[in-house]
Amino acid sequence: MSYNILLKTIAYFKIAQVQLTPSNKELEKEITKTLRKVSITNPSSELIFIGTLNHETMDEYIVQNVNITNDTIVYVDTIHKTKDTYKLWESIKELEQVRVSIDLFYGGLLFFRREQVKEHFKIRI
């Protein structure tokens, strides 16, 4: 798996704290090596990386997560891996608290900015 999209997202939004779900030592090493000022924390209200999308992770880290703020970003990896993961992605986009979603094919970004109009984008990179 290529972590370039995640690393570029962290750098672009100047993220200081990242939560990895599930724990991934290889990815943690890559993030801290490439972006020295970023720390891996649990929980994080800045950026949550979801490596395995299923109903449990969706409920725990998106639907019922009390640490999500107006500025939290969630990166969901491999949203097109199977039909089931894509169906879950589609249901996540429709959640009331999700305001903007960006389908990057390899993964998806979720934003929760309450002041923003609900929008969905597809960007092939």
Side-chain angles (χ1 to χ4, degrees):
M1 171 182 138
S2 172
Y3 300 127
N4 289 337
I5 297 169
L6 177 63
L7 293 172
K8 288 180 181 180
T9 300
I10 294 168
Y12 180 80
F13 288 104
K14 297 176 177 59
I15 302 294
Q17 296 180 337
V18 176
Q19 177 179 354
L20 301 179
T21 313
S23 181
N24 182 329
K25 293 297 179 190
E26 179 187 335
L27 178 54
E28 184 176 335
K29 185 177 175 183
E30 186 69 29
I31 290 171
T32 54
K33 182 182 88 175
T34 307
L35 305 163
R36 298 192 189 281
K37 294 183 179 180
V38 176
S39 63
I40 308 302
T41 62
N42 186 9
S44 171
S45 62
E46 289 189 55
L47 189 136
I48 301 167
F49 172 82
I50 298 176
T52 305
L53 182 60
N54 55 45
H55 287 286
E56 292 78 25
T57 56
M58 180 179 114
D59 285 341
E60 184 176 349
Y61 297 103
I62 299 171
V63 177
Q64 299 172 11
N65 190 343
V66 296
N67 296 306
I68 288 181
T69 68
N70 201 45
D71 297 321
T72 301
I73 300 169
V74 174
Y75 180 91
V76 182
D77 197 30
T78 60
I79 59 174
H80 291 277
K81 187 175 185 176
T82 66
K83 286 183 181 180
D84 288 339
T85 56
Y86 188 69
K87 282 181 186 176
L88 274 174
W89 170 253
E90 289 293 317
S91 66
I92 290 169
K93 288 176 13 181
E94 300 307 318
L95 293 172
E96 180 64 33
Q97 66 266 41
V98 175
R99 304 307 294 166
V100 175
S101 65
I102 303 174
D103 178 340
L104 301 167
F105 186 73
Y106 297 104
L109 291 170
L110 302 171
F111 298 87
F112 301 87
R113 299 174 184 171
R114 289 178 291 281
E115 66 276 4
Q116 195 158 343
V117 175
K118 195 165 186 74
E119 292 184 275
H120 306 293
F121 300 96
K122 281 188 177 183
I123 301 173
R124 300 292 184 219
I125 54 173

